[in-house]
Amino acid sequence: MTQSRRKPMLTVIEPSLAHTPQLKVDPAAILAVIPALNEARHIEECIRSLMAGSPVLRLVPLTVADGGSSDGTQAIVERLKGEFPNLRLLENPKRLQSAALNLAAETHSSERTRYLVRCDAHSIYPENFILLVAAALQRTGAASVAVPMDAVGETCFEKGNAWVVDTLLGSGGSAHRGGQRSAYVDHGHHAGFDIEWFRKIGGYDETFSHNEDAEYDVRLGKAGGKVWLDAGIRIQYVPRGTVRSLARQYYNYGKGRARNLAKHGSRLKVRQAVPVVALVGSVGGLLAAPFFLPALILPAGYLSLLAGASSAVAVRRKSICGLFAGIAAGTMHLCWAAGYIRQQFARGNPT
């Protein structure tokens, strides 16, 4: 995220769902977990949003798994415990989100717990989000529920980034990136788990600092579990607001994907191979150009594609901010590919 005070907002596509009497889930059957690390600016609003809606929510165990915050996050949670008696604080010495979910499932669940709901500390949620996710798990019998992510932006770069990330050029057509149809999918943005399935396959792999969700879904699929993408529960999020932060994010995503594929002996999908081809072709073309000038057609062609995308987005959105779309897409492609290639040469080193 950027250093500004803007926060990703979460909304439900069909607001009526938040008030439907169908949300009849035993609150004691749910464990909601918020992994947190230095989230003092966001944690209170996040907790209050999760507790907004049905009074039943205050009976749902809500655990903040804190990775050793030094900014006052823990003190805020302790204060809010006086208002929300279902709120608990858990120390997460391993600091990672994957470890936070595993630890909470192990130590803060009970014999009645059936559903594990994952929430992000820097987000604000719609009314009854926790109940909506648990109800989707209950209704479908799926091992996991994922939700679509809709990118939005406020600054010009954020808008350009948001307008391209959920397109074929930006995310390659991932089902959970702006998808409009509920369906079973191989992978999606994690929102909830059947806790028995979570335990059965060993939870998250804590050696993954990134891509732990996709790695989990690979193991889940091999074990026979299904992931339900619920298009009626949607996350609006603000993407990275600078080229530097976006580059760092996608570099780490690329590394995580390489580790995931190496662990499971899988191959890149076509849409995932395209950024690698773009990077190798562009760099190779630039290196070969002094000896074979036509090689410049590779990087020139790629730059032309990005420039065309920027122009098209700017025209479609009727905003000059669309010109940042190509810059954002190129940053995502090339940094993801660089991280992937870097990890391929790391020979099993997880760092």
Side-chain angles (χ1 to χ4, degrees), residues 263-341:
K263 176 178 178 178
H264 295 288
S266 305
R267 295 182 179 180
L268 279 178
K269 296 179 180 179
V270 173
R271 64 178 178 82
Q272 297 166 337
V274 170
V276 177
V277 173
L279 177 61
V280 173
S282 296
V283 173
L286 290 173
L287 293 176
F291 312 100
F292 183 63
L293 193 59
L296 282 176
I297 195 172
L298 298 174
Y302 180 62
L303 286 175
S304 296
L305 174 65
L306 297 178
S310 289
S311 299
V313 171
V315 170
R316 180 182 177 187
R317 298 286 180 169
K318 299 179 180 179
S319 171
I320 195 172
C321 295
L323 296 178
F324 285 102
I327 297 174
T331 301
M332 289 186 279
H333 296 164
L334 300 182
C335 292
W336 190 97
Y340 177 83
I341 294 171

Side-chain angles (χ1 to χ4, degrees), residues 36-43 66 68-76:
L37 177 61
N38 292 326
E39 293 286 357
R41 290 169 53 194
H42 312 298
I43 192 66
D66 186 82
S69 296
S70 58
D71 66 345
T73 297
Q74 296 181 26
I76 294 172

Side-chain angles (χ1 to χ4, degrees), residues 12 42 48 94 151 234 270 308 341:
V12 180
H42 312 298
R48 291 191 181 281
K94 295 182 180 179
R234 308 185 70 86
V270 173
I341 294 171

Side-chain angles (χ1 to χ4, degrees), residues 4 13 35-36 56 78 91 100 174 216 222 227 237 283 288 315 333 335:
S4 71
I13 251 185
V56 170
E78 290 289 353
E91 181 181 352
S174 298
Y216 176 94
K222 289 182 176 180
V227 180
Y237 73 101
V283 173
V315 170
H333 296 164
C335 292

